Amino acid sequence: MGNVVINLGMAEIMKMHDYYSKQLVDKNPPGSVFAAKTPACMVTAYKSGKVLFQGNDCEKEAGKWGGAGGGAGDARGGGARGAGGAGVTAKKPAAAKGKSAAKGDLPIGIGGMSAIGSDEVGTGDFFGPITVVAAYVKKEHIPLLKELGVRDSKDLGDEKIVAIAKVIKDVVPFSLMTLKNDKYNQVQQAGWSQGKMKAVLHNQAILNVLGKISPEKPEVILIDQFVQASTYFQHLKNQKAIAKENVYFSTKAEGIHLAVAAASILARYAFIQYIDKLGEAAGFKIPKGAGAQVDVAAAKLIVNKGRDILPSFVKLHFANTDKALALVNKKRK
């Protein structure tokens, strides 16, 4: 699916609103004036003056309003500055080397660079998979992602995450890796730590995105840090291919570059969808997290479906498994 972004004045946007009046959608994305679905593409106009056209005929539709057909690279934001870009003092990207970085060790102005960011969701949840997403955000797209409300998914509710993800999934190239519970339990019992699982998933997602955008290359790759760089690459020593060029690691990376924030939102969106599917299979709503409520839900699942169903729903090595079984035994006495 193609996409084009143009800038218009509010008077022109209101003309567009009237023009698409019969094709307006009921629910507008955050920060938008209107959204319309035409046979050619989806049109979303924002209060900032940016208008996003998404669809196979997006260039033709944008052309009606003076948009030069050049893909999403037409987004104009002036000197874009991403989150965390200002005031960072550090080195230029180092080739063929992964760096575990504090904010001060990151490349100068990293927040305004074209970057692949990666993040994961689900590692601390008893139910559901680990989902990892790597996303590529070009510097031209940074202002648009800000307009869409992209920020750390931990600061957003599920409804907001779903709304934002549905838009950005067609704007930024990304790769989703899902480690389902059956496979998770299999590799965990074979001796894999969560750190190794995440390293392998992050690496593969990044390689997938690099393949999608080739021959274009990101200025940097930023991974939301979960282990030291040396440990990360140690986990990958038996992998056939490893992304190493201009790779950086930082905690709270969602606040440093919107590529990581976008990856965080897309990973959370995928996790939410998966949890909903588990709920359909279980016959009741599945809670997130690893608190007492998941113990009760797992006990209910065992009573309704049998203990053998657990490996496809939960991370068996969590203490919640024993707690759920204890609840079942207590109920049966």
Side-chain angles (χ1 to χ4, degrees):
M1 180 183 289
N3 56 85
V4 173
V5 179
I6 63 174
N7 274 341
L8 296 175
M10 192 52 64
E12 194 73 3
I13 285 176
M14 294 317 295
K15 288 181 184 178
M16 294 181 73
H17 179 277
D18 294 340
Y19 179 83
Y20 295 115
S21 61
K22 294 182 180 179
Q23 297 161 313
L24 297 175
V25 300
D26 293 333
K27 196 168 184 180
N28 293 341
S32 66
V33 179
F34 74 85
K37 189 172 185 178
T38 77
C41 67
M42 188 75 185
V43 182
T44 309
Y46 293 91
K47 294 174 184 177
S48 65
K50 293 181 178 63
V51 184
L52 172 63
F53 299 82
Q54 296 170 283
N56 294 331
D57 293 325
C58 61
E59 293 184 6
K60 182 178 178 181
E61 193 70 20
K64 294 178 181 179
W65 307 95
D74 286 353
R76 295 173 178 85
R81 295 181 185 274
V88 175
T89 57
K91 310 172 217 177
K92 293 181 180 179
K97 190 181 291 184
K99 296 204 172 216
S100 180
K103 288 187 181 180
D105 296 325
L106 296 170
I108 296 170
I110 185 174
M113 295 179 177
S114 295
I116 290 177
S118 67
D119 201 358
E120 82 282 334
V121 170
T123 56
D125 291 88
F126 182 47
F127 282 95
I130 293 178
T131 56
V132 172
V133 168
Y136 178 50
V137 173
K138 297 175 71 170
K139 62 180 70 174
E140 299 96 324
H141 279 171
I142 291 173
L144 175 61
L145 292 188
K146 287 184 178 180
E147 288 292 332
L148 294 172
V150 173
R151 58 184 188 274
D152 184 1
S153 68
K154 299 180 190 69
D155 297 332
L156 300 169
D158 286 356
E159 187 176 344
K160 192 86 167 182
I161 286 170
V162 171
I164 296 172
K166 284 182 176 179
V167 178
I168 66 173
K169 68 183 178 66
D170 294 324
V171 175
V172 299
F174 73 95
S175 174
L176 165 68
M177 304 297 296
T178 302
L179 183 59
K180 297 179 181 178
N181 293 98
D182 281 325
K183 184 66 174 178
Y184 176 98
N185 290 316
Q186 180 183 334
V187 297
Q188 191 277 328
Q189 289 164 11
W192 284 37
S193 65
Q194 271 202 358
K196 181 169 183 175
M197 296 178 205
K198 290 190 285 186
V200 171
L201 293 168
H202 276 268
N203 180 63
Q204 190 57 56
I206 291 166
L207 289 173
N208 290 347
V209 175
L210 286 170
K212 285 184 178 183
I213 67 174
S214 181
E216 188 174 351
K217 286 187 176 182
E219 293 175 87
V220 290
I221 297 171
L222 181 61
I223 299 172
D224 192 51
Q225 187 170 357
F226 52 91
V227 291
Q228 292 298 311
S230 58
T231 304
Y232 174 86
F233 288 110
Q234 180 66 21
H235 285 322
L236 299 177
K237 64 180 181 179
N238 294 323
Q239 299 300 302
K240 292 181 180 178
I242 302 173
K244 288 184 177 180
E245 187 175 353
N246 295 334
V247 174
Y248 287 82
F249 303 79
S250 181
T251 56
K252 299 182 180 178
E254 305 93 330
I256 294 171
H257 201 289
L258 288 184
V260 182
S264 172
I265 288 170
L266 290 166
R268 188 71 184 172
Y269 175 53
F271 182 79
I272 291 167
Q273 288 183 307
Y274 200 97
I275 285 289
D276 287 345
K277 288 180 181 177
L278 286 183
E280 291 173 8
F284 58 88
K285 187 175 181 179
I286 297 293
K288 303 180 185 73
Q293 75 277 10
V294 303
D295 303 338
V296 174
K300 184 176 180 180
L301 183 65
I302 294 166
V303 170
N304 293 350
K305 304 282 187 178
R307 182 173 175 173
D308 290 345
I309 200 73
L310 276 184
S312 59
F313 278 78
V314 306
K315 301 173 181 72
L316 288 174
H317 67 106
F318 277 34
N320 302 90
T321 300
D322 290 336
K323 292 176 183 178
L325 290 170
L327 287 174
V328 173
N329 292 333
K330 184 177 180 180
K331 189 173 183 179
R332 287 173 177 170
K333 286 182 180 178

